[in-house]
Amino acid sequence: MTEQPARLVETHTAVVVFLGDRVIKVKKPVRMAFLDFSTRAARRRACEDEVVLNRRLAPDVYLGVGALVDPGGEAEPVVVMRRMPDERRLAALVARGEDVGDHVRRLARRLAAFHATAATSPEIDRAGEPATVRGLWEASFAQVAPYVGRILDPGTEARTEELARSYLAGREPLLRWRVQRGQIRDGHGDLLADDVFCLDDGPRVLDCIEFDPGLRHGDVLGDVAFLAMDLERLGAADAAAALLRAYAEFSAETHPESLAHLYIAYRAHVRAKVTCLRSDQGEPSAAAEARRLAALALRHLEAGRCRLVLVGGLPGTGKSTLAEGIADRLGWLLVRSDVLRKQLAGLPDRARAGAGYRQGIYAEKSTARTYQEMIDRARRALRLGESVVLDASWTDDRWRLLAAHAAETTASELVELRCEAPAAVAAERLALRAAAGLDPSDAGPDTAARMATDADPWPSAYVVDTTPAAGLVLDRVLHHLLATPAAAPRPQLVPG
């Protein structure tokens, strides 16, 4: 490798000199709202902190604290580092279109080990409390407000604020669970692909936040999400997803996918604010980049919406097939009333109950118990950031109102799907199901007919015609679920 040319980089707080195989970083004698380097003693402390903290992820890069001594003997403290090859920056590898899969896995393993031993304490835990996380979002909204309408799209920002506030309002138990699980740590705080060097003997991660411990404290997932956001910003969405998967594998850290979306969105929103500032300072491309970051934040908040999906209909209309398809494809929690009813009665899932319409385990008391338990399970899962699919007939408006209340109190979106099929098609399906003996449902054509007579109107539901092939019906419903906000008009889903 040829020797890299000398160069100088200036930031708002430091001057960095790249010379030969060394890097010399000099703190500026500045005082700002978030730091005070106005005295030599303060700059020395900052240099010492930078070395100690960054040695956690790059022990052989941060060589120590040195000094620049003038002819009068005055010594200015400096950070002395081993120079890393610019071409091995993760950002540079991505820009060249190289496959970074192996590098991402090694980095995820390193970050998992780092977080496992990173400091935690009651003070650090406060960074993960619901009030703190809400405060960070609200501060970001306030800081970006001057740029809305001038640089950022007002509609994008309004929807971002709506979704972030809604998610946080319903997920306090999730955030507290993260604290209880010890997932709030003294992390890196500023993980960017430009500061990650992918060397043959493993990654080196530089430049953590040293001047404010509070900016390093937070959920370990939020730390990793910063880098995932940066990779996606650079056009490496697959690498970002691979990083999150590998980190979960190596850390044995579990979380709902919605929480990763929240933290990626937060990092993108903050980055959009910083980029707006650069635009005001005259950087030509910054305004467009800020809008791209704001759009990235909104995409992740849309993807992280917590939803309660009621899939209902009479026996034989295909509701269980559709509900299972939604849950399998999206990785959402599925609760089937037919299975739960028998579990509550102490019966095997596929045991025949031998009870008629509204008798035995299908009597009013058992039905009420089944629906209540189903909705209670959904409420708990929604509060923990999981979207839920509830498969039941939903012919009684009482239980639909109870489900709607669960969605409302967890700040989740309610989606109601009512499956329909011609009577002859439904009867044929019921006959095939009975012959196979593999389904937990005991309902036959007589039960379906009596349920149809007793069913309450369900005008708020989307109607799903299930006569086309199951895969086609599922694809259409998934498109609706993923692409249409809950507040949009409710179309009837029919085969086209």
Side-chain angles (χ1 to χ4, degrees), residues 176-187:
R176 293 197 180 98
W177 178 73
R178 300 288 295 177
V179 174
Q180 293 163 7
R181 294 262 299 175
Q183 304 292 359
I184 315 304
R185 300 280 173 150
D186 184 342

Side-chain angles (χ1 to χ4, degrees), residues 321-395:
T321 299
L322 177 60
E324 185 174 355
I326 294 170
D328 284 350
R329 187 79 67 86
L330 300 179
W332 292 357
L333 175 66
L334 171 65
V335 184
R336 287 193 64 185
S337 62
D338 290 325
V339 173
L340 181 57
R341 184 189 299 268
K342 291 185 176 176
Q343 289 175 347
L344 293 174
L347 297 173
D349 293 354
R350 295 173 183 170
R352 298 298 96 186
Y357 181 60
R358 293 190 173 178
Q359 297 176 1
I361 68 169
Y362 296 98
E364 174 65 23
K365 183 177 180 180
S366 177
T367 296
R369 183 187 179 196
T370 300
Y371 272 93
Q372 184 66 62
E373 177 63 21
M374 186 167 56
I375 293 168
D376 286 347
R377 291 186 184 187
R379 183 184 290 107
R380 290 192 293 270
L382 291 165
R383 286 173 174 162
L384 293 175
E386 300 286 358
S387 288
V388 184
V389 181
L390 299 183
D391 167 19
S393 64
W394 297 107
T395 54

Side-chain angles (χ1 to χ4, degrees), residues 214-491:
L215 296 178
R216 295 193 310 272
H217 298 169
D219 196 313
V220 295
L221 180 59
D223 219 17
V224 178
F226 201 142
L227 183 55
M229 177 279 297
D230 201 39
L231 287 169
E232 188 170 346
R233 177 187 68 86
L234 294 170
D238 289 346
L243 173 69
L244 291 170
R245 288 195 302 270
Y247 181 81
E249 174 188 343
F250 292 128
S251 66
E253 188 272 343
T254 58
H255 61 265
E257 190 174 321
S258 66
L259 187 62
H261 286 302
L262 177 81
Y263 281 128
I264 292 172
Y266 173 72
R267 295 299 192 178
H269 193 265
V270 171
R271 186 71 178 257
K273 171 196 67 180
V274 174
T275 310
C276 284
L277 179 60
R278 295 208 317 265
S279 177
D280 272 1
Q281 293 170 342
E283 186 174 323
S285 62
E289 176 69 4
R291 287 189 286 272
R292 284 192 291 271
L293 286 161
L296 191 158
L298 180 55
R299 282 200 306 274
H300 279 279
L301 288 171
E302 292 283 9
R305 286 160 24 219
C306 289
R307 277 157 283 189
L308 176 59
V309 183
L310 311 185
V311 184
L314 297 174
T317 57
K319 62 182 177 55
S320 295
T321 299
L322 177 60
E324 185 174 355
I326 294 170
D328 284 350
R329 187 79 67 86
L330 300 179
W332 292 357
L333 175 66
L334 171 65
V335 184
R336 287 193 64 185
S337 62
D338 290 325
V339 173
L340 181 57
R341 184 189 299 268
K342 291 185 176 176
Q343 289 175 347
L344 293 174
L347 297 173
D349 293 354
R350 295 173 183 170
R352 298 298 96 186
Y357 181 60
R358 293 190 173 178
Q359 297 176 1
I361 68 169
Y362 296 98
E364 174 65 23
K365 183 177 180 180
S366 177
T367 296
R369 183 187 179 196
T370 300
Y371 272 93
Q372 184 66 62
E373 177 63 21
M374 186 167 56
I375 293 168
D376 286 347
R377 291 186 184 187
R379 183 184 290 107
R380 290 192 293 270
L382 291 165
R383 286 173 174 162
L384 293 175
E386 300 286 358
S387 288
V388 184
V389 181
L390 299 183
D391 167 19
S393 64
W394 297 107
T395 54
D396 192 324
D397 194 45
R398 290 176 298 167
W399 312 126
R400 301 197 296 261
L401 290 173
L402 196 63
H405 184 259
E408 181 180 1
T409 55
T410 58
S412 305
E413 296 180 15
L414 179 68
V415 180
E416 300 164 86
L417 305 173
R418 179 165 60 86
C419 295
E420 286 190 350
V425 172
E428 181 180 1
R429 290 172 177 170
L430 290 175
L432 291 172
R433 186 171 72 188
L438 299 177
D439 194 87
S441 175
D442 295 313
D446 291 343
T447 298
R450 297 186 67 177
M451 289 175 67
T453 300
D454 294 341
D456 293 328
W458 195 0
S460 59
Y462 297 91
V463 177
V464 183
D465 181 348
T466 65
T467 52
L472 179 60
V473 173
L474 175 61
D475 286 343
R476 288 173 173 166
V477 170
L478 289 177
H479 176 76
H480 163 70
L481 278 173
L482 298 177
T484 307
R490 298 184 168 190

